[in-house]
Amino acid sequence: MALLNIFKRDSSKHTVLATGHVISESSRCVQCGVCSYNCPIGIDVRAHVWRDEAVKHSECLTCGECVARCPRGVLRFAQTDLFVRSKG
Amino acid sequence: MRYVIIGAGVAGLSAVEAIRSVDTAGEIVMISDDPFGYYSRPGLAYYLTGELPDKALFPRTKEHYQNLNFNFLKARVTRILRSDHAVLVDGKSKLSYDKLLIAVGARAMPLEVSGASLDGVVKLDHLTDARHIMSLARRGKTAVVVGGGITALELTEGLLARGMKVHYLLRGDRYWSNVLDKHESHVVEDRLKEEGVILHHKAELKEITGKRGRVSQVTLQDGSIIKCEMVAYAVGISPCLELIHESHLAKDRGILVNEQLQTTDPDIYAAGDVAQVYDPLTGKSVLDSLWNPAREQGRVAGWNMAGRRAAYLKSAPFNVTRLAGLTTTIIGVVGRGKDDDLIGIARGDSETWRELPEAIIAQSGFDVNHMRLMVGEKTLVGAIVMGDQTLSWPLQKMIAGRADISSIRDRIMQPDAPLADLIAQFWMTWRTEVAL
Ligand SMILES: Cc1cc2nc3c(=O)[nH]c(=O)nc-3n(C[C@H](O)[C@H](O)[C@H](O)COP(=O)(O)OP(=O)(O)OC[C@H]3O[C@@H](n4cnc5c(N)ncnc54)[C@H](O)[C@@H]3O)c2cc1C
Ligand code: SF4
Ligand code: SF4
């Protein structure tokens, strides 16, 4: 699928470490828990998604594990994503 | 004021939260017969594949529940006694209500075939079922899957992940024929074959036979036999309506509700998979079995029960799922007719998806990155996005928001149109106009 470059998503660590944080499209979430289960420092990402809040957690490593593992494309990094309104 | 909520699914929980956001003092009683209470039912698929342990399926802690301040009763409601303003619990005790919410969901339809009660015939409805499957699945043994929709594939993938050899029986000539088009069905089927699934088309189960009460083989209508230790089925679901028998609440395939999610009794509401809700997109009342609509309906019902008037406006139903490992989003109306493998709808499914009006199809991509748009007179009425999901969120918003696409319609309809670019460009302008 040929896409405009601006639509390319980039969830790699390097581009988000500075100020990026995880945001969500809550209506796609089914509360399965894959994100929370895979967060290396135990942030309850799923609970943030339920409340439609960004993961602005001081300890978030912005490692991207939750973003990459969510089976339903709910999570994105705010800084690099043009689709999503800033929330939280 | 006493609110009684029947069902501890997402609709029930969301209603409790909504009631508490309006009424901090009223008494809330939630009753459910699922021994595990509230957990992510779509997550059961990831438990089967081994991506999650079962304890990770529970989104809430004890503290969450304590903060919501409600009583939980593990019991079954057997009747609604409208004239007494009460429900009958476990066939014996009465519990009175001021406002009642029925959020009892839907359940798997039974497999109507001889031998269906043998040990080793399984379904995927509750955590209890998933645990049962896990306890029976054995590496190197054989399973036969029948049925359709998402759950049939979730069973297939789960059993493969447990090391079982899987035969998938399809009655027709392709998978999920009233939602997917031929190409999409074939993409899914090819991937299943690559994963080692043995597909049987035009295959009809005749009987299951067993030894010492356990499944040992299935016989098909054409006489062929498959030796197996398990038969997993997903032939459709139906709303749990037995509770409202004799209650004279209006029902059709589900419990009929108005925009406030109120039934024909003003003190009784219904939400989630059990409710049949008016859909402005098709002008009909339809059933969904989708997590997010169930959550939203629970919330709107809860607000109304507690006195904050709110309307539930059904928007284009969508689901994001994995079909044979391929992330797929289905939005709005995309297909039509019947599917031989399903009776009614399945889990993660919507009746609306088959209500195809006059629409023209535009397609792009092939194999794993594929997009199909259903183009109406001025708007997009549906879409399927397989593989790269970049455009699925914009498409969801454009379809739900009925974006007027007249400016790009002609270009979309050209053969070999660069659909992704056209949609992306349109989206950039449209989203600023509607302030998304
Ligand atoms: C395997 C599976 C996969 C799914 N995949 C998806 C998906 O990909 N996407 C998606 O959007 N949705 C999916 N769903 C559907 C989604 O989970 C449902 O739409 C949602 O759970 C509906 O919520 P609900 O609250 O209406 O009902 P339910 O979750 O069914 O909850 C009903 C509750 O009522 C209780 N109950 C029933 N009868 C009684 C009674 N008489 N007395 C007391 N309690 C009673 C039950 O025990 C249960 O607690 C899936 C579901 C399953 C099972
Ligand atoms: S992994 Fe995705 S779908 Fe599952 S709870 Fe997290 S955000 Fe929701
Ligand atoms: S980015 Fe990493 S640390 Fe931050 S919430 Fe996600 S998984 Fe946890």
Side-chain angles (χ1 to χ4, degrees), chain B residues 134-196:
Chain B
M134 294 291 255
S135 73
L136 292 179
R138 294 276 178 282
R139 194 159 285 282
K141 301 283 184 193
T142 302
V144 169
V145 174
V146 290
I150 294 169
T151 315
L153 287 198
E154 287 174 343
L155 283 164
T156 303
E157 305 263 331
L159 296 170
L160 276 182
R162 309 254 68 81
M164 292 188 85
K165 183 171 166 185
V166 182
H167 292 262
Y168 181 15
L169 309 186
L170 290 160
R171 277 180 169 159
D173 51 14
R174 62 186 180 88
Y175 170 70
W176 216 5
S177 60
N178 61 354
V179 170
L180 303 183
D181 70 11
K182 268 193 188 148
H183 170 75
E184 291 151 1
S185 297
H186 290 150
V187 169
V188 174
E189 290 185 15
D190 286 348
R191 291 175 68 95
L192 288 173
K193 282 186 224 154
E194 272 166 36
E195 289 173 6

Side-chain angles (χ1 to χ4, degrees), chain A residues 29-35 46 49 70-72 74-75:
Chain A
C29 174
V30 291
Q31 293 287 294
C32 67
V34 168
C35 51
R46 158 170 63 185
V49 181
C70 168
R72 309 173 64 91
V74 173
L75 305 168

Side-chain angles (χ1 to χ4, degrees), chain B residues 48-61:
Chain B
L48 278 190
T49 57
E51 284 161 270
L52 279 178
D54 54 0
K55 63 177 189 320
L57 294 171
F58 296 86
R60 297 308 170 91
T61 58

